[in-house]
Amino acid sequence: MHTNTSAMEVAEKERTPGLSLGEEKNMVTQLLLINTTVFILLYFIKIIYLMEEYGEPAFVRDILSNTIVSASPGTVLSKPWTLLTAMFAHMDFWDIFSNMVWMFVFGSVLQQQAGYKQIPVTYVLGSFAGYITYIAAMNLLPGVLPPVTAGGGIMGAHAGVMAMATGITFMSPGLRVFPQLWRGGVPIWIFFGIFLILHAASVLLGEGSLSNLVYMVGGAVTGALLSVAFKNGPSFADSIFDFFYNVTHVFHPKKKLSRKDEETATFPEPPNRSTPLPFVKIGHVPEHRINEILDKINDKGMESLSPEDREILIRASREEE
């Protein structure tokens, strides 16, 4: 346990400044960017509607009703694109702010433990499951939940974030994270408890929506199930991620080497028994070796590290001290 915690601390120290897109494959950052962009876009369109004196009802009718998931199954079937748009849509600043903060907290740790492919899979499947619990509750428990107003429905990252929170907590309940906040790190279940208490308190105080809690139930169930699936091997999430990737890149031609590249391309010679073993540096750990291990964590998670990889991370941490 100590070895795993020390390796986790080194990984966090190295990865914290690296919230970038592209080659880092940081899916948490990309989800943060998409949600923020959609929020700004919707808010900008609403301002235009108000400036042009169309009014907020027209905005709800034309834009919002075609963005959020309705409680009516028939409406959802007639607007299937809302299953995708609703999980990224927010109209309240504090709503998106809280969701993005918790996505960063739980998503960053989940990505570090399980690899970047687990993030979009957990987010999308958690949101889909949230739609199901919301629609079912609205139609089966009409007296419990508030009635849906015209153009109303569910939207936001609540279910996706809940799936991430439940997933990492169920996967590694004793995991300690963010050593910068507390020596030795804070147990992940404490963050999860605070997350649940704040959402429950917002509903009890009348500032939150009971519909959002129902929406989050589906995300919680999905996160728990995915954590079990990952413990049996990451192939499930990898397969779904590859499916998503192939669908979204169906019209992207595969990159091919030009004739000039083929002529100049070189490939390493395969190792043989006569090749001497590489020199192992016991003192200072080479930076490129640390980067290789961090890339491995980003792709497959902490569980993919070998004992040698963990020892290198711990040694690098001791040298920094």
Side-chain angles (χ1 to χ4, degrees):
M1 179 62 72
H2 175 71
T3 302
N4 186 46
T5 302
S6 301
M8 180 73 179
E9 290 178 5
V10 177
E12 284 192 357
K13 289 178 182 178
E14 297 289 341
R15 280 296 184 194
T16 300
L19 280 178
S20 59
L21 298 171
E23 60 185 14
E24 289 293 329
K25 300 178 182 178
N26 195 315
M27 291 298 169
V28 176
T29 305
Q30 295 191 33
L31 285 178
L32 291 171
L33 179 62
I34 294 173
N35 276 274
T36 304
T37 302
V38 173
F39 169 73
I40 295 174
L41 179 61
L42 286 175
Y43 205 80
F44 181 72
I45 294 174
K46 181 179 179 180
I47 291 176
I48 293 178
Y49 265 74
L50 296 177
M51 291 178 61
E52 295 295 330
E53 298 183 353
Y54 293 123
E56 188 169 344
F59 169 76
V60 173
R61 181 191 67 241
D62 299 339
I63 306 299
L64 210 56
S65 64
N66 289 296
T67 304
I68 63 179
V69 168
S70 171
S72 170
T75 304
V76 175
L77 291 176
S78 64
K79 301 177 180 180
W81 62 85
T82 59
L83 296 174
L84 179 63
T85 58
M87 68 179 70
F88 301 109
H90 301 79
M91 287 303 301
D92 181 76
F93 172 77
W94 291 111
D95 201 27
I96 186 173
F97 177 77
S98 63
N99 274 334
M100 296 304 99
V101 168
W102 288 115
M103 181 186 293
F104 171 76
V105 171
F106 294 113
S108 299
V109 181
L110 179 62
Q111 180 170 257
Q112 210 164 53
Q113 288 293 305
Y116 73 94
K117 291 185 177 181
Q118 190 82 5
I119 300 302
V121 171
T122 302
Y123 186 84
V124 172
L125 294 185
S127 299
F128 283 168
Y131 299 148
I132 294 174
T133 55
Y134 167 74
I135 295 174
M138 293 300 295
N139 288 274
L140 299 177
L141 303 171
V144 177
L145 299 176
V148 180
T149 57
I154 200 70
M155 63 178 177
H158 307 82
V161 173
M162 173 59 88
M164 293 181 185
T166 309
I168 186 58
T169 305
F170 275 56
M171 186 186 304
S172 305
L175 180 67
R176 291 180 175 269
V177 296
F178 302 115
Q180 302 91 340
L181 299 178
W182 189 267
R183 187 172 183 179
V186 182
I188 190 66
W189 63 265
I190 290 183
F191 283 107
F192 185 64
I194 296 174
F195 174 68
L196 294 180
I197 291 172
L198 289 178
H199 277 85
S202 66
V203 174
L204 293 176
L205 295 175
E207 298 178 359
S209 171
L210 184 59
S211 299
N212 280 338
L213 287 185
V214 175
Y215 179 41
M216 294 168 69
V217 169
V221 174
T222 300
L225 293 176
L226 287 177
S227 69
V228 174
F230 180 79
K231 285 182 178 180
N232 295 327
S235 58
F236 176 74
D238 290 353
S239 300
I240 297 181
F241 178 90
D242 293 339
F243 172 76
F244 288 163
Y245 184 89
N246 291 332
V247 170
T248 56
H249 292 74
V250 65
F251 297 113
H252 290 209
K254 293 183 178 180
K255 187 176 180 180
K256 296 182 179 180
L257 286 174
S258 63
R259 178 172 296 180
K260 183 177 180 181
D261 292 333
E262 290 177 350
E263 292 175 354
T264 59
T266 58
F267 301 92
E269 292 291 333
N272 54 66
R273 295 186 179 180
S274 60
T275 304
L277 291 174
F279 174 73
V280 179
K281 203 168 185 179
I282 302 300
H284 176 66
V285 179
E287 184 177 355
H288 73 86
R289 185 71 179 98
I290 297 294
N291 292 334
E292 289 175 359
I293 297 176
L294 294 176
D295 288 338
K296 188 176 182 181
I297 294 173
N298 198 38
D299 287 340
K300 297 295 183 181
M302 288 289 296
E303 299 300 323
S304 65
L305 297 185
S306 64
E308 179 186 359
D309 294 334
R310 296 177 187 274
E311 183 60 33
I312 290 176
L313 283 179
I314 295 172
R315 190 170 17 148
S317 177
R318 290 171 180 168
E319 289 178 4
E320 288 181 2
E321 295 173 358

